[in-house]
Amino acid sequence: MRWSTILQQYYFLLVTCLLTALEAVPIDIDKTKVKGAQPVDSAKIEPPDTGLYYDEYLKQVIDVLETDNHFREKLQKADIEEIKSGRLSKELDLVSHHVRTKLDELKRQEVGRLRMLIKAKLDSFQDTGIDYHALLKQFDHLNHMNPDKFESTDLDMLIKAATSDLENYDKTRHEEFKKYEMMKEHERREYLKTLNEEKRKEEESKFEEMKKKHENHPKVNHPGSKDQLKEVWEEADGLDPNDFDPKTFFKLHDVNNDGFLDEQELEALFTKELEKVYDPKNEEDDMVEMEEERLRMREHVMNEVDSNKDRLVTLEEFLKATEKKEFLEPDSWETLDQQQFFTEEELKEYENMITLQENELKKKADELQKQKEELQRQHDQLEAQKLEYNQVIQQMEQKKLQEISPSGPGGESKFEPLI
């Protein structure tokens, strides 16, 4: 089992190395006999993209580090805080020369890639006086002071950058979703302004009707509750709800058999609940909202179950959660259609920002149009000068030919007598 398979899914780089070194509690169940279950070949499971701009570099560093036996052994003995604090990064000094050489090459490639990105961003400027070394400071996942060597500082920075970026990843997604909802409302209101009173009332009525239709859905079970998990057990796993067993459930949904329920495996548990609310065939159901709902459910379960906040759910954490009152008697779950995404003040502020951006774009467009017109004028002027120049050349050539071989009235050559 490759610990790098899990790493891309969670909020810091090397803690997964430690976690996957642990063994899951064995459960005697044959997944091949469960309805719908398929044997999992862990070698075929592709690690998901983290969404980080240095995702490929992150994966490559992991692939190289896991080949060093010394480093792997240290990881197995380290605790989470030791990894996050950067103390474990010092062990990089003891890895083999072969591994260090590969890491050096990876860093040089990453620095080269970042330089290309900077150059592409600044391609409107002359390539003179650009301090690439200074511009590399904006990337905090590697040590820009030494672009040729991968040192313990690089590993420490990579761990901390991945930790911070992935911890803020969900927050960023929520903010983007909020902007998405405000944009939808903004465009709807702008469209209404283009209609006459009768058409506007029709559109408003249709909007309210679709909204009510969307809200009219079956009850959604509280994510992570016994009722919700039993529904998955019965409908997705094809098992008798009266035989529900948390240990067996955990083993069934630990898809890659690593001993943990990761974020993707948890999100897969909510599909049945989401299907109660969202249908891609329905005009009133927004699939972007469905993914936001899935994210909210996963975050809620992680907050309730993931006691050490490593973004992984162990069997022990899972079983402990099933003993809580909230598991047996949960509160009702409020779906997104019961939420207010933004206030009128926030929408107004967002619309003002859009107006400023549109004005700025219009200003740039006007400037570009003026530049285009000026370039066209210069082009036309040059073409006129070129034409005039060609005409002068032709006249000079004709005059030169006439001076060299003048002809008489009958076409015979005419020679002037010498005096």
Side-chain angles (χ1 to χ4, degrees), residues 225-227 324-331:
S225 67
K226 185 176 182 179
D227 289 340
K324 297 180 180 179
K325 180 181 178 181
E326 292 81 357
F327 179 73
L328 300 173
E329 302 175 9
D331 297 330

Side-chain angles (χ1 to χ4, degrees), residues 6 9-10 16 19-20 24 27 31 224 228-229 232 244 246-270 298 301-302 305-308 310-319 321-322:
I6 306 175
Q9 304 172 19
Y10 309 107
T16 313
L19 293 175
T20 53
I27 299 174
K31 286 187 178 182
Q228 191 259 311
L229 298 185
V232 175
F244 177 76
K247 285 186 178 180
T248 304
F249 184 91
F250 183 95
K251 185 67 174 179
L252 281 172
H253 295 279
D254 175 16
V255 179
N256 58 1
N257 297 309
D258 61 4
F260 306 94
L261 292 183
D262 59 44
E263 294 181 345
Q264 283 69 35
E265 290 166 339
L266 277 178
E267 289 182 0
L269 299 179
F270 310 135
R298 186 257 293 165
V301 173
M302 276 294 187
V305 181
D306 181 23
S307 57
N308 64 355
D310 62 0
R311 299 175 79 98
L312 294 167
V313 176
T314 64
L315 177 62
E316 182 182 359
E317 289 174 328
F318 183 76
L319 295 180
T322 63

Side-chain angles (χ1 to χ4, degrees), residues 214 216-221 227-228 231 235 270-279 285:
H214 172 71
N216 184 26
H217 55 72
K219 177 187 175 183
V220 175
N221 289 315
D227 289 340
Q228 191 259 311
E231 191 171 61
E235 297 186 16
F270 310 135
T271 299
K272 290 294 179 182
E273 301 304 316
L274 294 169
E275 287 176 350
K276 297 176 182 178
V277 186
Y278 299 95
D279 185 340
D285 296 339

Side-chain angles (χ1 to χ4, degrees), residues 37-60:
Q38 296 292 333
V40 177
D41 184 355
S42 60
K44 294 180 181 179
I45 298 176
E46 291 295 328
D49 196 310
T50 61
L52 303 176
Y53 65 89
Y54 49 90
D55 177 78
E56 186 63 27
Y57 176 61
L58 184 65
K59 293 176 182 177
Q60 291 172 338

Side-chain angles (χ1 to χ4, degrees), residues 176-192 207 210 214 278 283-290 336 341-342 347 350-351 354:
E176 290 301 317
F177 174 74
K178 183 177 180 178
K179 291 179 182 178
Y180 169 77
E181 289 295 326
M182 288 192 290
M183 176 57 76
K184 273 205 323 183
E185 180 61 16
H186 168 70
E187 291 178 346
R188 188 183 75 86
R189 296 185 183 187
E190 290 298 306
Y191 173 66
L192 291 175
F207 175 77
M210 291 177 62
H214 172 71
Y278 299 95
E283 183 182 0
E284 68 274 9
D285 296 339
D286 188 334
M287 295 301 103
V288 175
E289 293 180 0
M290 183 186 76
L336 282 176
F341 305 128
F342 52 84
L347 179 59
Y350 180 72
E351 289 178 327
I354 291 176

